[in-house]
Amino acid sequence: AAKQTKSSPDYTKADVEFMQGMIGHHAQAIVMANMAPTQASNAQVKLFCQKVIRSQRDEIELMETWLKDRGETVPDTGMMGHGDMKGMKMDMDMGGHPMLMPGMLTTEQMAELGRAQGTAWDTLFLKDMIQHHTGALTMVATLFDSPGAGQQPEIFGYATGVDNDQRAEIGRMQGMLTTITGRSPK
């Protein structure tokens, strides 16, 4: 088999857009999960938030590296250095228009989550993060629906992994929501 060289990209515009969009998507999940230490009351939810922060941070680095290695634009999420990310800009600026990827929370939803405390925060966080994760599944489906996209082994493996992880986490969050509220999510 012929080896791929830098001059023959084995990826598509949809692959690049997926990686760029998913960076912003993950960045918002980290901001949401970072509220847990001061706002969550449920130990399971707090632990889940720590896992989200770790896994999404690692995946952001992977996606940034993938884009850099191909000379593609790496979106500025204000997360460079991956500190506490308190002042992170939520709307990634891509050529002058902020983009909200599927499932991402609006400014209003983020503000509502920011004001909630205790069990109210736990419940709202889980509902919001289920919405957020469902959006990531939509992004993966869009990638695989794009002609030629998602075929490059790294992209295929990553997107498939995101799909599997997010589905498993949605199930876990629905279970936590049922435990906290005492009823099954609609």
Side-chain angles (χ1 to χ4, degrees):
K3 267 178 59 185
Q4 287 291 345
T5 61
K6 278 264 189 257
S7 64
S8 62
D10 51 345
Y11 61 92
T12 67
K13 186 174 187 287
D15 291 330
V16 173
E17 288 169 355
F18 171 78
M19 292 300 233
Q20 290 170 335
M22 198 56 87
I23 287 173
H25 204 269
H26 275 21
Q28 187 181 62
I30 292 171
V31 171
M32 293 165 67
N34 266 332
M35 294 178 190
T38 56
Q39 291 170 259
S41 62
N42 183 288
Q44 257 191 303
V45 172
K46 285 183 179 181
L47 201 62
F48 178 76
C49 286
Q50 289 173 349
K51 183 197 170 295
V52 165
I53 292 166
R54 267 196 315 276
S55 66
Q56 309 260 303
R57 203 175 269 171
D58 291 347
E59 288 183 17
I60 286 173
E61 284 180 17
L62 178 145
M63 292 184 282
E64 288 174 342
T65 301
W66 188 91
L67 290 164
K68 278 182 207 142
D69 287 351
R70 286 155 184 80
E72 299 290 348
T73 306
V74 176
D76 176 19
T77 58
M79 281 182 53
M80 301 318 148
H82 308 288
D84 67 2
M85 296 174 285
K86 281 258 188 285
M88 205 184 103
K89 297 187 299 294
M90 268 339 307
D91 53 322
M92 287 176 17
D93 199 28
M94 299 292 284
H97 58 277
M99 50 186 217
L100 214 52
M101 303 312 295
M104 281 182 75
L105 273 61
T106 62
T107 309
E108 293 76 27
Q109 283 177 299
M110 287 297 287
E112 186 184 5
L113 188 63
R115 287 188 300 269
Q117 288 291 330
T119 306
W121 188 89
D122 297 338
T123 306
L124 189 58
F125 169 81
L126 290 167
K127 286 179 179 167
D128 285 349
M129 194 58 90
I130 288 169
Q131 168 195 316
H132 202 267
H133 274 33
T134 303
L137 298 177
T138 302
M139 290 169 69
V140 171
T142 301
L143 172 72
F144 287 130
D145 285 347
S146 305
Q151 300 307 304
Q152 197 245 347
E154 252 180 307
I155 291 268
F156 180 83
Y158 176 67
T160 307
V162 166
D163 193 79
N164 292 337
D165 291 348
Q166 305 268 312
R167 284 182 197 280
E169 288 183 359
I170 287 171
R172 206 167 308 135
M173 288 187 287
Q174 285 170 333
M176 285 188 270
L177 203 51
T178 301
T179 303
I180 292 168
T181 62
R183 56 183 188 274
S184 296
K186 289 179 253 336

